[in-house]
């Protein structure tokens, strides 16, 4: 078992951890599901979290059994349509949209000398971070376009440790999605889940909300 004193770096998910853009992703995907005739369910909503744009679209089309009704070109245009809707919601964001406790947690990581990286599946993360005024904390961002496999594959969290020059066991990954927890665990890092045990069954450490995300609480949970 990894000890708290072994930890040197923290790897963050973006949507659902740093800010609630997961609500905007959901709103935009829900509209698209209505358009293609896929019934919206809580399972589908939870399953889409952390999943890349094209994989999310394919999940929605498969759930409605309508995958074969669209050409590849039409699929790309559906994904673009969803992204335009998502960006129009993101454009209204301000630093007030940072989830409670996150700014304080980032400051405590900086002042205690921890390294920080971002492992978001989102190609829009630079825009979102800039809207939130958090760009200065994230000079180390895994480029989702560089990935062969998205979450739940471990690749994104492995790269999140590599860009910090750290071994997986020196890193903690923080996630709100089941696919993300699976990715962190697969990479051999310690997983912190934000949410409920119902959805985040395999998280090593679980906090109900970002307000509980502090170095003290993590230390207590690990020791
Ligand atoms: P985009 P995360 C993920 O971000 C979202 O959870 C997921 O809903 C979204 O489809 C994915 O990013 C791709 O986002 O369309 O903006 O490239 O949770 O990994 O930070
Ligand atoms: Mg997320």
């Amino acid at each position: 078992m990894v000890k708290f004193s072994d930890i040197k770096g923290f790897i963050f998910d973006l949507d659902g951890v740093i800010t609630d853009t997961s609500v905007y992703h959901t709103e935009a995907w829900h509209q698209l599901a209505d358009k293609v005739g896929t019934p919206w369910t809580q399972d589908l909503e939870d399953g889409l979290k952390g999943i890349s744009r094209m994989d999310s679209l394919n999940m929605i089309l498969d759930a409605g059994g309508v995958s074969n009704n669209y050409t590849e070109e039409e699929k790309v245009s559906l994904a673009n349509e969803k992204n335009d809707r998502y960006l129009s919601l993101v454009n209204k964001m301000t630093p007030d949209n940072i989830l409670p406790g996150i700014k304080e947690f980032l400051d405590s990581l900086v002042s205690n000398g921890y390294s920080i990286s971002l492992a978001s599946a989102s190609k829009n993360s630079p825009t979102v971070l800039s809207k939130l005024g958090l760009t200065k904390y994230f000079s180390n961002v895994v480029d989702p376009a560089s990935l062969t496999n998205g979450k739940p594959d471990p690749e994104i969290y492995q790269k999140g440790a590599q860009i910090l020059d750290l071994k997986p066991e020196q890193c903690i990954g923080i996630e709100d999605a089941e696919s993300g927890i699976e990715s962190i665990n697969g990479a051999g890092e310690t997983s912190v889940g934000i949410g409920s045990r119902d959805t985040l069954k395999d998280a090593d450490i679980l906090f109900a909300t970002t307000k509980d995300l502090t170095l003290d609480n993590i230390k207590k949970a690990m020791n």
Side-chain angles (χ1 to χ4, degrees), residues 13-17 22 49-50 151 175-177:
D13 173 44
L14 176 66
D15 299 308
V17 169
S22 47
K49 288 185 180 154
K151 300 171 188 179
E175 266 288 346
D176 69 314

Side-chain angles (χ1 to χ4, degrees), residues 20-29 86 89-90 93 97:
D20 232 345
T21 34
S22 47
V23 177
Y24 302 155
H25 279 298
T26 295
E27 188 179 325
W29 282 130
Y86 173 69
L89 297 168
V90 162
M93 290 176 85
N97 291 99

